[in-house]
Amino acid sequence: MTSAQDKIITDALNTFGPDHQIDKCIEECGELIAALTRYRDGRATVEDVVDELADVGVMRRQMVKHFGPAAVARRTDEKMERLAALTAERKGGK
């Protein structure tokens, strides 16, 4: 993330407050779920999904800033290791 983007994230959290931005994150995640469901059913385009992914990505950055980048990074690493193990297990089982 660039320093300009980091400033935008910080400004948004400071301007609207974390509680409001948490609610906004929940809303954006719901819209992504809906877009993915419509896409799977042939009622949405890739562009629709990409738009919602971008919205969720922006909100994710704000949530990471709020809840702690180091904690999120550490837990992400753990989950990536688990995913790698599951993938290797699945490949070996075929």
Side-chain angles (χ1 to χ4, degrees):
M1 177 169 23
T2 67
S3 61
Q5 290 172 336
D6 187 59
K7 182 178 180 337
I8 293 167
I9 295 304
T10 300
D11 287 350
L13 281 167
N14 291 336
T15 300
F16 301 109
D19 288 344
H20 179 270
Q21 294 310 89
I22 288 169
D23 289 343
K24 187 69 175 170
C25 185
I26 292 166
E27 176 187 326
E28 295 297 349
C29 286
E31 290 176 8
L32 175 58
I33 291 166
L36 288 167
T37 301
R38 287 191 308 272
Y39 177 79
R40 186 184 57 203
D41 296 342
R43 297 179 291 125
T45 65
V46 169
E47 185 177 329
D48 296 329
V49 174
V50 167
D51 190 54
E52 297 305 332
L53 283 167
D55 288 343
V56 169
V58 170
M59 296 312 303
R60 180 192 182 280
R61 288 178 176 188
Q62 291 179 60
M63 296 300 99
V64 168
K65 181 98 170 170
H66 177 66
F67 289 104
V72 174
R74 184 173 48 256
R75 193 67 177 123
T76 299
D77 288 346
E78 292 168 0
K79 290 187 175 278
M80 290 298 290
E81 288 174 15
R82 177 164 166 69
L83 180 58
L86 289 170
T87 302
E89 180 181 306
R90 177 64 62 99
K91 284 181 179 179
K94 284 188 171 183

